[in-house]
Amino acid sequence: MLDLEKDDKDLEAGTHRAYEESDIQPRDEEEAISTFRPITQEKPQNELPPATKVVTVQDWDGPSDPENPQNWSLLKKSYHTAIPGLYGFAVTIGSAMYAPAVGEIMEKFNVSETAALVGLSVYVIGLGFGPVLAAPVSESLGRSIVYRTTLPVSMLFTLGAGFSNSFAALLVCRFFAGFFGSPVLAVGAGTNADIWPPRQRAIATSFFLMAPFAGPALGPFIGGFAAQYKGWRWTQWCILFISLAAWIPGLFMSETYKKILLKRRAANRGLEGPKGLTGVAAIKFLFAVTLIRPVHMLVTEPIVLFLSLYTAFAFSVLFAFFAAFPVVFEAPPYNFTVSQTGLTFLGIGLGVVISSFSAVVVDRTVYQKKYRQAIAEGRKHAAPEHRLYVAMMGSIGLPVGLFWFAWTADNGVHWAVPVVGAIPFAWGNLNLFIATALYLIDVYGPLNGASALAANGILRYTLGAAFPLFTVQMYDNLGIGWATSLLGFLAVAMLPIPWVLFKWGPQIRARSQYPTDM
């Protein structure tokens, strides 16, 4: 299996998580990666000569160890959840804030509308490369260094985009702005995993994901006013200001990565710390986890394939709206200005906020009940399928929102009606992604679950970059009603996926090539 089993054995011999894209965390200390298991001796240690004793710092001193981020105060943990969310917001708003400037960029650089939209697509493609940069840096140096260094580099390229005097320079700077911004997204979920135990994962995940999903909703709103009243370059300056405002509070963050914290503790005590793969072996393993295994899971695991297709489709429709909303609202009968069109995206933002709160409500009222029942029955956790309630709700919201928007906008109904129709779409979109992130980690465990979400990211960013490039042509040829309805019919076709997994998930998992249901 592409020599991945050997890589897993290498991991068990002495490395920790090498990929941080997902919300990953062992369920309890017994399930922690073997890097942190204490070294055992064949004889009791007090019977060995002093010279043969090996004293190490392989794990926390105990369940109440104050240096364990999971034992931090609620205020400190909330701070370390909010800051990665702000980083994610700043990075994702950079993709969408460009959209209102497309018209002026066409005139400035004398390019077609499709070509101008490439500036949006290359940024999204750059976001997809985040794990390639984030994995080796965070594994070797920790999460804090990723937050403090990569976002400033992204801001420099955003500055370059704003000063660009050629279309080629603009595209290059936009790509690298996305590329160097994306690592904060990649390690953000890992930070949440460091500080929140698995049974509290849903709440942290819901609010953490709200921020990066709110970015694409608020980007056109802010960018619309900037582009209309100050010019296209100000869309880039606004990205820069928001990124700087998010980055400064993060300078006070503490390191949360267990491996790095134990290494530091060991150095302070003059003891041996956790060991991991180094050199070529480490590079090989990171390459396998971040690239080879995700692709392998995408083509061999039905759960990964179908959930990735579904979430990628929903994510791509969101990006298609960056091109579709101007077609709808800037033409008769609405005749909106660029800034007024940006305001229509607030409906999507409201749907995102509602989704985060509804996911928490479902977790508190349904999932936690199933979790307590599982514990009472002597099991360590509830079945992963109980994570899918939110996705099943969202699967209904997606087509409802799309058909609502399609025919109210096509018939020129008052602008508020199609804008409200975007709310159930956005609600269903984030619902689906929250449930998918939680479900894949519960099914495949920390390491393989990370690879499963990497596969999900490959499809999401690839399709998200492609959809805006053909959206305008699709709306011109099919009309508003049928173009949006085509997306609605695809949403209906994919609607059964979470329901099928809820019903037959255990049987599908039993045929997996990877260990499932930890």
Side-chain angles (χ1 to χ4, degrees):
M1 194 168 60
L2 297 178
D3 202 26
L4 296 182
E5 293 182 1
K6 181 179 182 300
D7 289 321
D8 285 337
K9 293 178 181 178
D10 290 340
L11 177 68
E12 291 295 328
T15 191
H16 190 40
R17 297 177 307 194
Y19 175 66
E20 308 303 333
E21 168 76 4
S22 64
D23 178 16
I24 54 178
Q25 181 75 1
R27 295 182 179 279
D28 50 44
E29 291 300 327
E30 293 181 359
E31 294 181 14
I33 304 289
S34 60
T35 301
F36 304 123
R37 291 174 183 157
I39 297 175
T40 57
Q41 308 288 339
E42 293 183 0
K43 295 182 180 181
Q45 202 174 60
N46 56 12
E47 296 181 9
L48 293 174
T52 63
K53 290 184 179 181
V54 179
V55 183
T56 64
V57 178
Q58 300 292 317
D59 208 339
W60 303 120
D61 289 343
S64 300
D65 191 328
E67 294 188 30
N68 182 349
Q70 294 193 7
N71 293 324
W72 288 349
S73 68
L74 179 60
L75 180 62
K76 187 173 182 178
K77 290 199 288 186
S78 298
Y79 166 74
H80 283 77
T81 299
I83 294 301
L86 285 176
Y87 285 170
F89 173 79
V91 170
T92 56
I93 204 173
S95 63
M97 199 175 294
Y98 173 91
V102 165
E104 187 180 354
I105 288 173
M106 291 169 58
E107 297 178 5
K108 168 69 177 178
F109 297 108
N110 193 27
V111 295
S112 67
E113 184 173 12
T114 300
L117 284 167
V118 172
L120 168 64
S121 296
V122 293
Y123 189 96
V124 177
I125 292 174
L127 293 178
F129 284 89
V132 177
L133 180 62
V137 175
S138 61
E139 172 68 15
S140 302
L141 303 175
R143 307 197 197 282
S144 294
I145 192 68
V146 174
Y147 293 130
R148 290 171 182 166
T149 60
T150 60
L151 190 57
V153 176
S154 174
M155 288 189 277
L156 289 176
F157 279 104
T158 298
L159 187 68
F163 281 120
S164 295
N165 289 317
S166 71
F167 188 59
L170 175 63
L171 296 184
V172 170
C173 288
R174 286 282 295 172
F175 170 79
F176 283 108
F179 176 77
F180 284 102
S182 57
V184 300
L185 290 171
V187 302
T191 296
N192 280 287
D194 292 336
I195 61 181
W196 299 103
R199 61 186 175 83
Q200 298 175 345
R201 181 185 299 156
I203 295 178
T205 299
S206 298
F207 286 112
F208 168 71
L209 291 177
M210 177 176 67
F213 270 76
L218 294 180
F221 163 57
I222 300 173
F225 284 94
Q228 180 173 336
Y229 294 106
K230 300 295 291 184
W232 75 268
R233 297 184 191 275
W234 271 88
T235 62
Q236 303 307 298
W237 307 152
C238 288
I239 297 170
L240 194 62
F241 299 150
I242 292 171
S243 298
L244 184 62
W247 179 70
I248 291 176
L251 294 175
F252 306 99
M253 289 182 68
S254 303
E255 181 59 59
T256 63
Y257 189 17
K258 182 176 182 179
K259 176 181 175 181
I260 300 300
L261 292 175
L262 291 178
K263 279 187 174 181
R264 292 176 181 175
R265 170 183 283 185
N268 291 335
R269 297 180 180 178
L271 303 175
E272 181 181 351
K275 296 180 179 179
L277 297 178
T278 58
V280 176
I283 295 174
K284 178 184 176 184
F285 180 78
L286 289 171
F287 183 75
V289 172
T290 58
L291 291 177
I292 298 178
R293 182 175 291 155
V295 174
H296 186 264
M297 295 186 79
L298 195 61
V299 299
T300 62
E301 294 292 305
I303 291 175
V304 177
L305 173 62
F306 285 102
L307 281 178
S308 295
L309 284 173
Y310 198 5
T311 55
F313 165 75
F315 185 79
S316 301
V317 173
L318 173 62
F319 275 79
F321 279 168
F322 297 147
F325 273 37
V327 172
V328 173
F329 291 108
E330 293 179 15
Y334 301 115
N335 297 312
F336 280 10
T337 63
V338 172
S339 59
Q340 289 172 330
T341 300
L343 287 169
T344 62
F345 283 88
L346 293 180
I348 293 177
L350 180 58
V352 167
V353 173
I354 295 173
S355 171
S356 294
F357 283 96
S358 65
V360 171
V361 170
V362 171
D363 176 75
R364 295 287 91 187
T365 59
V366 180
Y367 179 81
Q368 293 300 325
K369 180 179 179 181
K370 298 294 183 180
Y371 174 81
R372 290 190 294 268
Q373 180 180 341
I375 297 300
E377 294 174 355
R379 292 178 283 129
K380 290 185 176 181
H381 55 87
E385 283 67 36
H386 293 300
R387 296 289 195 185
L388 293 173
Y389 296 117
V390 174
M392 291 187 287
M393 294 163 48
S395 69
I396 298 173
L398 284 171
V400 167
L402 289 172
F403 286 121
W404 182 337
F405 180 87
W407 295 107
T408 55
D410 188 78
N411 288 286
V413 180
H414 188 277
W415 62 265
V417 180
V419 168
V420 171
I423 296 176
F425 163 78
W427 172 79
N429 191 354
L430 183 52
N431 272 2
L432 177 62
F433 189 71
I434 290 173
T436 296
L438 295 170
Y439 180 69
L440 290 178
I441 296 301
D442 278 9
V443 168
Y444 291 103
L447 184 63
N448 291 328
S451 296
L453 278 175
N456 184 284
I458 291 172
L459 275 183
R460 276 191 300 119
Y461 289 116
T462 301
L463 292 183
F467 263 52
L469 300 180
F470 61 78
T471 298
V472 174
Q473 295 90 327
M474 182 174 70
Y475 272 73
D476 287 342
N477 292 327
L478 298 179
I480 295 171
W482 285 111
T484 314
S485 291
L486 175 60
L487 301 175
F489 290 131
L490 291 173
V492 170
M494 296 183 179
L495 185 152
I497 290 175
W499 300 82
V500 169
L501 291 176
F502 182 81
K503 177 69 175 177
W504 290 286
Q507 294 92 317
I508 298 173
R509 286 191 276 113
R511 299 181 181 182
S512 173
Q513 298 183 36
Y514 294 84
T516 60
D517 193 8
M518 293 178 57

